[in-house]
Amino acid sequence: MKTKSFLIPAFLFFSIWSVAQVPAKITVEQQKAETTVAPNMYGIFFEDINFAADGGLYAELIKNRSFDFPNSPFMGWLTYGKVSVQTEGAPFSRNPHYARLLNDGLLTGTGLLNEGFRGIGVEKNKKYNLSLYAKNVNKDENKLKIEIISAANEIIASGEVEINSGNWEKYKLELQAKETCAHAKLRVDLISQGELDIEHVSLFPAETWRNRENGMRKDLAQALAELKPGVFRFPGGCIIEGNNLETRYQWKNSVGPVENRPVNENRWNYVFQHRFTPDYFQSYGLGFFEYFQLCEDFGADALPVVSCGMACQFITDECVPVDDLDPYIQDALDLVEFANGPVTSKWGKVRAEMGHPESFGLRYIGIGNEQWGEVFPKHLEAFQKALDEKYPEIQIIGSSGPSADGEQFDYLWGEMKKMDVDLVDEHYYKDPDWFLQNADRYDDYSRKGPKVFAGEYACHVQPEKKNSFYAALCEASFLTGIERNSDVVRLATYAPLFAHVDAWQWKPDMIWFDNLRSVKSANYYVQQLYSKYKGTTVQNVKMNGENVVGQDGIYASVVTDKDNDQLILKISNTGKSEKEVELDFKLKELPSVLKGKQITLKANLDDENTLDEPFLVKPVEKEVALDSKSPKISIEAESFHVFVLDL
């Protein structure tokens, strides 16, 4: 078959080329009715999934330190010699198990080895603080040898503890590692002949976040601080509900002396059979006091979530009748008292005894997580009535369920409006197309009634759900719509936050880590840029009279920052070619030249930061100067940019 050839006249070719190069024109003008950006707009959501708490942010290195994992008191431990579990005369009522070691002359000795959380991570020359409770059984004195053993079975730290009392006492030992090892073990060896009891064996890095006892892992807490979060939702989503009501998260179990906080099953330990983790429990060492303390450290508003009396509906239909909700409602009321109450109140006194007599200044509380159906609004209404009566200043957050649309979503939004809750928690884990097509999602939302809390969102690029640059680019594009509609969306948090590379159940996640290292994802940098440069006031941004929501692959939003006297443009190009953009600033009193910086996030779409390549995707900053009368900017293909211009 013959093919025909065509010659394009030179003048026509030039005309086609000229049309292709006509820059997109974006107009920026003052809003008639000013829309402010909430100072706490962008934040973080912590869910104890992927070993995010024990084995992650919480710096404790010993798994099952109190021998109280349900049905498996020695899970995480290997024992040798004569070791048994006892309960009579336990020092801590809510952690009733302890270990008894008997050395009656066995050449093999008697002791225990702890495996940590997929190993114990120690660094050369760093110091580690060991503590344990112990008492002698039948003699005045016994001696324990404590060793950190490397993956190659070499002793890399060692010390001895003399147990010299027949009563429960706390003993401490400082260990210094001679080598770096990500998968070490801790050995506790009774080297004298005799019998003793031990409980709450704990090992922490000497350096924790702000050098606190019972502290947080320094690099992970620092990464959160660098996000500059405005709000911190905790302690999770589905773990609030529990696999059943018995295993729901109960905040009162997470406060008070850390040794007496009872162990609880983690919601994520066996839900995903392909990521089966039967050793996943919650020590509650990272509890509500520590969460509030972190909020204070970060300058973030605390947003705790409590059970509404419904277990996870994906697992069970277990539900407390509305008439029996009083204990659950009282927990919510007591939580406000714990956070804000005077030291003379019951729970304010507990807070003060833990070292914080001042109020934490709680302003929000979430009731339930992703509940749906006709029962949830009735439960929420009972909580709302009690909270409004006693604490009318507390903002209540309801839910639109687990989906971003559909029959249940519409029904719950209708109920939330009837109840006039303060915010409605929306969740969306969607593919790239959804994020790109929903940049205008909130343009037509009602400006009356409840505001939106985008409580859990992340772009899922199938099939691997990587934290790829493409996922981050789609989120950056979507967030221009969040920012443009700051009068509707008041809070926004990516989810989940953390994941251990050797013990994850869900991905993607914002920050990945192993026992020694951590890495910030491309998604992290998008959230950081929005939080750091959120501004104070939204400006209108139009292309041909319409909001910029993907025309020719361009997404954009503009805010001014009155506090720093800056104009901030966020713009992404999801197209395959570079785009020339002409800006038309119809704003008052602009300098003739807008000087500042341009921050660019650009990489191959499939690129992903890893522990071995932590900076494959990262923001790059340069100085810029734009003519305010008719500035033109070039936006690279598949890239995200933040222009921070001084006014």
Side-chain angles (χ1 to χ4, degrees), residues 147-159:
E147 297 169 329
I148 297 176
I149 302 171
S150 73
N153 291 318
E154 296 177 346
I155 298 171
I156 56 177
S158 180

Side-chain angles (χ1 to χ4, degrees), residues 345-361:
S345 65
K346 177 182 177 180
W347 290 102
K349 182 182 178 183
V350 173
R351 181 193 71 241
E353 289 172 345
M354 295 183 73
H356 201 285
E358 304 84 4
S359 166
F360 278 119

Side-chain angles (χ1 to χ4, degrees), residues 108-182:
T108 54
T110 292
L112 312 97
L113 289 96
N114 191 272
E115 66 184 12
F117 299 94
R118 303 301 186 265
I120 295 173
V122 295
E123 294 183 73
K124 185 177 181 179
N125 297 327
K126 292 288 182 69
K127 294 179 179 179
Y128 297 85
N129 295 330
L130 178 121
S131 65
L132 55 82
Y133 289 80
K135 71 179 180 68
N136 293 315
V137 177
N138 295 318
K139 57 184 288 191
D140 293 334
E141 188 172 299
N142 274 299
K143 187 177 288 186
L144 290 172
K145 179 182 284 187
I146 310 295
E147 297 169 329
I148 297 176
I149 302 171
S150 73
N153 291 318
E154 296 177 346
I155 298 171
I156 56 177
S158 180
E160 294 183 355
V161 178
E162 291 187 358
I163 311 302
N164 49 27
S165 175
N167 299 315
W168 286 107
E169 302 285 351
K170 186 175 183 177
Y171 297 88
K172 296 181 179 181
L173 176 67
E174 183 179 84
L175 298 167
Q176 186 168 359
K178 295 186 291 186
E179 300 293 339
T180 294
C181 181

